[in-house]
Amino acid sequence: MSKQVNFGDELVSPEEKTRRVGAVFSSVARRYDMMNDLMSGGMHRLWKDRFVNRVKPRSGEEILDMAGGTGDVAFRMARRGARVTVADINADMLEVGKQRAATRELTGLAWKVENAEALSFADASFDAYTIVFGIRNVTDIPAALREAYRVLKRGGRFYCMEFSSSDWPGFSSLYEAWASNVIPRIGKAVADDEESYRYLVESIRRFPRPDAFKRMVADAGFIRAAAEPMLGGLVTIHSGWKI
Ligand code: SAM
Protein backbone atom coordinates (compact mmCIF):
# COMPACT_ATOMS: atom_id res chain seq x y z
CA MET A 1 0.00 0.00 0.00
CA SER A 2 1.34 3.48 -0.83
CA LYS A 3 2.37 5.81 2.02
CA GLN A 4 -0.47 7.79 3.60
CA VAL A 5 -0.43 11.59 3.29
CA ASN A 6 -2.40 14.37 4.95
CA PHE A 7 -5.52 15.79 3.38
CA GLY A 8 -6.00 18.52 5.96
CA ASP A 9 -6.07 16.61 9.26
CA GLU A 10 -7.06 13.27 7.65
CA LEU A 11 -4.63 10.59 6.45
CA VAL A 12 -5.40 9.35 2.93
CA SER A 13 -3.57 7.70 0.01
CA PRO A 14 -1.64 10.07 -2.32
CA GLU A 15 -4.13 9.38 -5.13
CA GLU A 16 -7.05 10.18 -2.83
CA LYS A 17 -5.41 13.45 -1.73
CA THR A 18 -4.94 14.61 -5.34
CA ARG A 19 -8.57 13.70 -6.13
CA ARG A 20 -9.98 15.45 -3.06
CA VAL A 21 -7.87 18.61 -3.58
CA GLY A 22 -9.31 18.64 -7.12
CA ALA A 23 -12.84 18.41 -5.72
CA VAL A 24 -12.16 21.27 -3.26
CA PHE A 25 -11.03 23.66 -5.99
CA SER A 26 -13.75 22.64 -8.44
CA SER A 27 -16.23 23.37 -5.68
CA VAL A 28 -14.78 26.79 -4.74
CA ALA A 29 -13.76 27.99 -8.26
CA ARG A 30 -16.76 30.27 -8.97
CA ARG A 31 -16.55 32.05 -5.62
CA TYR A 32 -12.79 31.74 -5.10
CA ASP A 33 -11.87 35.41 -5.65
CA MET A 34 -14.69 36.84 -3.56
CA MET A 35 -13.92 34.35 -0.77
CA ASN A 36 -10.23 35.35 -0.79
CA ASP A 37 -11.28 38.94 -0.09
CA LEU A 38 -13.68 37.89 2.68
CA MET A 39 -11.29 35.45 4.36
CA SER A 40 -8.25 37.72 4.31
CA GLY A 41 -10.03 41.08 4.66
CA GLY A 42 -8.53 42.04 1.29
CA MET A 43 -4.97 41.37 2.54
CA HIS A 44 -4.25 38.79 -0.17
CA ARG A 45 -4.14 41.64 -2.71
CA LEU A 46 -1.34 43.38 -0.78
CA TRP A 47 0.57 40.12 -0.32
CA LYS A 48 0.32 39.40 -4.06
CA ASP A 49 1.49 42.93 -4.94
CA ARG A 50 4.47 42.49 -2.63
CA PHE A 51 5.21 39.06 -4.10
CA VAL A 52 5.22 40.40 -7.68
CA ASN A 53 7.50 43.25 -6.58
CA ARG A 54 9.97 40.59 -5.42
CA VAL A 55 9.70 38.62 -8.69
CA LYS A 56 10.34 41.81 -10.73
CA PRO A 57 8.90 40.51 -14.00
CA ARG A 58 10.58 42.04 -17.03
CA SER A 59 9.19 42.69 -20.46
CA GLY A 60 9.38 39.61 -22.69
CA GLU A 61 10.36 37.20 -19.92
CA GLU A 62 8.80 33.74 -19.94
CA ILE A 63 7.20 33.06 -16.57
CA LEU A 64 5.40 29.93 -15.42
CA ASP A 65 2.74 30.74 -12.82
CA MET A 66 2.16 27.29 -11.38
CA ALA A 67 -1.07 26.51 -9.52
CA GLY A 68 -2.09 29.84 -11.01
CA GLY A 69 -5.81 29.21 -10.48
CA THR A 70 -7.95 32.16 -11.51
CA GLY A 71 -4.93 34.22 -12.63
CA ASP A 72 -4.57 36.79 -9.83
CA VAL A 73 -0.75 36.66 -9.77
CA ALA A 74 -0.38 36.04 -13.51
CA PHE A 75 -2.39 39.18 -14.34
CA ARG A 76 -0.08 41.32 -12.21
CA MET A 77 3.00 39.89 -13.98
CA ALA A 78 1.49 40.14 -17.47
CA ARG A 79 0.71 43.84 -16.87
CA ARG A 80 4.48 44.33 -16.45
CA GLY A 81 5.09 42.87 -19.91
CA ALA A 82 6.04 39.27 -19.02
CA ARG A 83 4.76 36.37 -21.12
CA VAL A 84 2.97 34.28 -18.54
CA THR A 85 1.81 30.67 -18.74
CA VAL A 86 -0.85 29.99 -16.12
CA ALA A 87 -0.75 26.30 -15.25
CA ASP A 88 -3.04 24.50 -12.82
CA ILE A 89 -4.23 20.94 -12.25
CA ASN A 90 -7.83 22.17 -12.08
CA ALA A 91 -9.59 23.08 -15.33
CA ASP A 92 -12.47 24.77 -13.46
CA MET A 93 -10.13 27.28 -11.79
CA LEU A 94 -8.46 28.01 -15.15
CA GLU A 95 -11.84 28.49 -16.82
CA VAL A 96 -12.78 31.20 -14.28
CA GLY A 97 -9.34 32.75 -14.90
CA LYS A 98 -9.83 32.85 -18.68
CA GLN A 99 -13.18 34.62 -18.24
CA ARG A 100 -11.61 37.16 -15.85
CA ALA A 101 -8.78 37.79 -18.34
CA ALA A 102 -11.32 38.38 -21.11
CA THR A 103 -13.28 40.84 -18.94
CA ARG A 104 -10.06 42.75 -18.20
CA GLU A 105 -9.05 42.60 -21.89
CA LEU A 106 -5.74 41.01 -20.88
CA THR A 107 -4.13 39.16 -23.76
CA GLY A 108 -0.90 37.22 -24.16
CA LEU A 109 -1.54 34.71 -21.38
CA ALA A 110 -1.32 30.98 -22.05
CA TRP A 111 -3.52 28.62 -19.98
CA LYS A 112 -2.60 25.00 -19.41
CA VAL A 113 -3.83 22.09 -17.28
CA GLU A 114 -0.71 20.69 -15.59
CA ASN A 115 0.19 18.74 -12.47
CA ALA A 116 3.07 20.55 -10.71
CA GLU A 117 4.61 17.17 -9.90
CA ALA A 118 5.10 16.13 -13.55
CA LEU A 119 5.19 19.04 -16.00
CA SER A 120 4.93 18.62 -19.77
CA PHE A 121 7.33 21.56 -20.46
CA ALA A 122 10.84 20.99 -21.81
CA ASP A 123 13.91 21.50 -19.60
CA ALA A 124 15.08 25.13 -19.30
CA SER A 125 11.88 26.70 -20.70
CA PHE A 126 11.28 29.59 -18.26
CA ASP A 127 13.05 32.65 -16.79
CA ALA A 128 10.99 32.49 -13.60
CA TYR A 129 8.66 30.05 -11.85
CA THR A 130 6.05 31.34 -9.41
CA ILE A 131 3.66 29.43 -7.16
CA VAL A 132 1.36 31.29 -4.79
CA PHE A 133 -0.78 29.58 -2.14
CA GLY A 134 -0.51 26.47 -4.29
CA ILE A 135 2.32 24.24 -3.12
CA ARG A 136 0.71 23.19 0.18
CA ASN A 137 -2.03 21.53 -1.89
CA VAL A 138 0.44 19.48 -3.93
CA THR A 139 0.70 15.83 -2.87
CA ASP A 140 4.45 15.31 -3.55
CA ILE A 141 6.07 18.68 -2.79
CA PRO A 142 9.72 17.59 -3.36
CA ALA A 143 8.70 16.31 -6.82
CA ALA A 144 7.11 19.70 -7.62
CA LEU A 145 10.27 21.53 -6.49
CA ARG A 146 12.44 19.26 -8.68
CA GLU A 147 10.16 19.99 -11.65
CA ALA A 148 10.40 23.74 -10.96
CA TYR A 149 14.19 23.43 -11.07
CA ARG A 150 14.11 21.39 -14.28
CA VAL A 151 11.91 23.76 -16.29
CA LEU A 152 13.88 26.88 -15.27
CA LYS A 153 16.71 28.20 -17.45
CA ARG A 154 20.15 28.74 -15.90
CA GLY A 155 19.90 31.96 -13.92
CA GLY A 156 16.16 31.33 -13.53
CA ARG A 157 14.33 32.50 -10.41
CA PHE A 158 12.02 30.46 -8.20
CA TYR A 159 9.44 32.31 -6.09
CA CYS A 160 6.82 30.78 -3.83
CA MET A 161 4.40 32.42 -1.42
CA GLU A 162 2.70 30.20 1.11
CA PHE A 163 0.88 30.21 4.42
CA SER A 164 2.02 28.40 7.54
CA SER A 165 1.24 28.85 11.23
CA SER A 166 2.48 32.07 12.80
CA ASP A 167 4.93 32.09 15.71
CA TRP A 168 3.81 35.47 17.09
CA PRO A 169 2.11 34.32 20.34
CA GLY A 170 -0.78 36.84 20.55
CA PHE A 171 -1.33 37.03 16.82
CA SER A 172 -1.22 33.26 16.31
CA SER A 173 -4.04 32.63 18.81
CA LEU A 174 -6.09 35.40 17.21
CA TYR A 175 -5.47 33.90 13.77
CA GLU A 176 -6.28 30.37 15.04
CA ALA A 177 -9.63 31.58 16.37
CA TRP A 178 -10.40 33.32 13.05
CA ALA A 179 -9.25 30.36 10.94
CA SER A 180 -10.97 27.60 12.91
CA ASN A 181 -14.24 29.37 13.70
CA VAL A 182 -14.83 32.14 11.20
CA ILE A 183 -13.44 30.91 7.87
CA PRO A 184 -15.45 27.63 7.70
CA ARG A 185 -18.57 29.62 8.70
CA ILE A 186 -17.99 32.16 5.94
CA GLY A 187 -17.53 29.14 3.64
CA LYS A 188 -20.89 27.77 4.75
CA ALA A 189 -22.77 31.06 4.64
CA VAL A 190 -21.42 32.35 1.34
CA ALA A 191 -20.55 29.23 -0.63
CA ASP A 192 -22.56 26.58 1.27
CA ASP A 193 -19.30 24.63 1.51
CA GLU A 194 -17.94 24.39 5.03
CA GLU A 195 -15.79 21.30 4.32
CA SER A 196 -13.67 22.87 1.55
CA TYR A 197 -12.86 25.87 3.71
CA ARG A 198 -12.08 23.63 6.69
CA TYR A 199 -9.57 21.79 4.46
CA LEU A 200 -7.96 25.10 3.40
CA VAL A 201 -7.45 26.06 7.05
CA GLU A 202 -6.09 22.63 8.04
CA SER A 203 -3.68 22.57 5.12
CA ILE A 204 -2.26 25.94 6.25
CA ARG A 205 -1.71 24.60 9.77
CA ARG A 206 0.14 21.56 8.42
CA PHE A 207 2.47 23.34 5.98
CA PRO A 208 6.16 23.40 7.08
CA ARG A 209 7.48 26.44 8.92
CA PRO A 210 9.55 28.87 6.80
CA ASP A 211 12.96 27.43 7.75
CA ALA A 212 11.91 23.85 7.04
CA PHE A 213 10.49 24.78 3.62
CA LYS A 214 13.62 26.81 2.84
CA ARG A 215 15.65 23.59 3.31
CA MET A 216 13.32 21.75 0.91
CA VAL A 217 13.91 24.47 -1.71
CA ALA A 218 17.68 24.12 -1.24
CA ASP A 219 17.41 20.29 -1.44
CA ALA A 220 15.81 20.63 -4.88
CA GLY A 221 19.06 22.28 -6.09
CA PHE A 222 18.29 25.99 -5.75
CA ILE A 223 21.08 28.22 -4.48
CA ARG A 224 20.59 31.19 -2.18
CA ALA A 225 17.31 29.71 -0.95
CA ALA A 226 15.75 32.43 1.18
CA ALA A 227 12.60 32.93 3.22
CA GLU A 228 10.99 36.30 3.93
CA PRO A 229 8.38 35.66 6.63
CA MET A 230 5.55 38.15 7.19
CA LEU A 231 3.18 38.17 10.19
CA GLY A 232 5.46 35.78 12.11
CA GLY A 233 5.51 33.26 9.27
CA LEU A 234 1.75 33.22 8.58
CA VAL A 235 2.70 34.20 5.01
CA THR A 236 6.23 33.70 3.66
CA ILE A 237 7.85 34.58 0.35
CA HIS A 238 10.43 31.92 -0.57
CA SER A 239 12.98 32.33 -3.32
CA GLY A 240 15.90 30.53 -4.91
CA TRP A 241 18.08 30.59 -8.03
CA LYS A 242 19.11 27.99 -10.54
CA ILE A 243 22.70 28.28 -11.74
N1 SAM B 1 -2.24 31.02 -7.22
C1 SAM B 1 -3.66 31.33 -7.16
C2 SAM B 1 -3.90 32.48 -6.21
O1 SAM B 1 -3.01 32.77 -5.40
O2 SAM B 1 -4.97 33.07 -6.26
C3 SAM B 1 -4.50 30.09 -6.78
C4 SAM B 1 -4.20 29.51 -5.44
S1 SAM B 1 -5.36 28.27 -4.94
C5 SAM B 1 -5.40 28.46 -3.19
C6 SAM B 1 -4.45 26.77 -5.12
C7 SAM B 1 -4.40 26.22 -6.52
O3 SAM B 1 -3.49 25.11 -6.54
C8 SAM B 1 -5.72 25.68 -7.05
O4 SAM B 1 -6.07 26.34 -8.23
C9 SAM B 1 -5.45 24.20 -7.28
O5 SAM B 1 -6.16 23.64 -8.34
C10 SAM B 1 -3.95 24.20 -7.53
N2 SAM B 1 -3.29 22.90 -7.36
C11 SAM B 1 -3.45 22.02 -6.36
N3 SAM B 1 -2.68 20.93 -6.57
C12 SAM B 1 -2.00 21.14 -7.72
C13 SAM B 1 -1.05 20.39 -8.46
N4 SAM B 1 -0.62 19.19 -8.05
N5 SAM B 1 -0.57 20.91 -9.60
C14 SAM B 1 -1.00 22.12 -10.05
N6 SAM B 1 -1.90 22.88 -9.40
C15 SAM B 1 -2.39 22.40 -8.23
Side-chain angles (χ1 to χ4, degrees):
M1 200 177 76
S2 51
K3 194 172 158 281
Q4 300 277 94
V5 293
N6 272 100
F7 172 78
D9 289 345
E10 257 182 87
L11 279 174
V12 298
S13 70
E15 298 73 23
E16 173 79 357
K17 171 166 177 163
T18 305
R19 192 188 64 70
R20 286 175 70 176
V21 167
V24 164
F25 286 103
S26 288
S27 163
V28 304
R30 296 265 142 215
R31 293 195 172 87
Y32 177 76
D33 297 292
M34 179 185 63
M35 287 297 287
N36 266 349
D37 277 331
L38 286 175
M39 290 186 309
S40 74
M43 293 277 284
H44 74 108
R45 293 169 185 261
L46 304 178
W47 295 329
K48 286 170 180 166
D49 287 344
R50 183 163 177 170
F51 177 82
V52 171
N53 282 338
R54 294 289 180 276
V55 177
K56 292 188 183 62
R58 287 184 283 264
S59 189
E61 272 193 333
E62 292 287 348
I63 301 185
L64 176 60
D65 184 39
M66 195 63 231
T70 60
D72 245 15
V73 173
F75 296 168
R76 286 168 168 78
M77 300 193 293
R79 282 196 197 101
R80 297 196 186 191
R83 289 205 293 262
V84 186
T85 301
V86 192
D88 198 288
I89 201 167
N90 191 301
D92 296 323
M93 291 288 280
L94 292 177
E95 200 44 51
V96 174
K98 282 183 206 170
Q99 288 166 17
R100 293 177 79 213
T103 310
R104 289 167 169 73
E105 296 180 0
L106 262 173
T107 52
L109 289 152
W111 302 85
K112 206 146 186 301
V113 174
E114 291 276 338
N115 183 346
E117 296 167 19
L119 299 175
S120 69
F121 307 107
D123 295 358
S125 297
F126 297 97
D127 300 292
Y129 174 110
T130 56
I131 182 162
V132 171
F133 304 138
I135 204 148
R136 74 175 190 280
N137 302 293
V138 170
T139 306
D140 186 347
I141 293 175
L145 292 173
R146 286 194 298 273
E147 279 293 81
Y149 189 86
R150 181 183 69 75
V151 300
L152 277 171
K153 299 175 186 170
R154 279 176 188 277
R157 291 115 62 209
F158 168 84
Y159 283 97
C160 169
M161 183 157 68
E162 194 49 271
F163 289 110
S164 183
S165 40
S166 173
D167 60 11
W168 286 356
F171 177 75
S172 81
S173 33
L174 209 67
Y175 166 77
E176 269 302 315
W178 170 261
S180 309
N181 302 314
V182 184
I183 292 180
R185 283 189 195 156
I186 299 178
K188 176 146 182 58
V190 180
D192 194 20
D193 187 0
E194 191 171 345
E195 278 317 297
S196 294
Y197 289 92
R198 198 169 294 287
Y199 158 75
L200 292 175
V201 170
E202 289 168 1
S203 64
I204 289 171
R205 208 177 285 134
R206 291 203 162 269
F207 192 71
R209 301 275 311 131
D211 273 355
F213 188 66
K214 187 170 110 175
R215 282 194 293 279
M216 292 170 78
V217 172
D219 286 347
F222 290 103
I223 64 148
R224 282 195 267 154
E228 183 192 340
M230 299 179 268
L231 300 173
L234 179 64
V235 180
T236 298
I237 297 177
H238 289 272
S239 55
W241 291 69
K242 173 172 176 175
I243 51 165

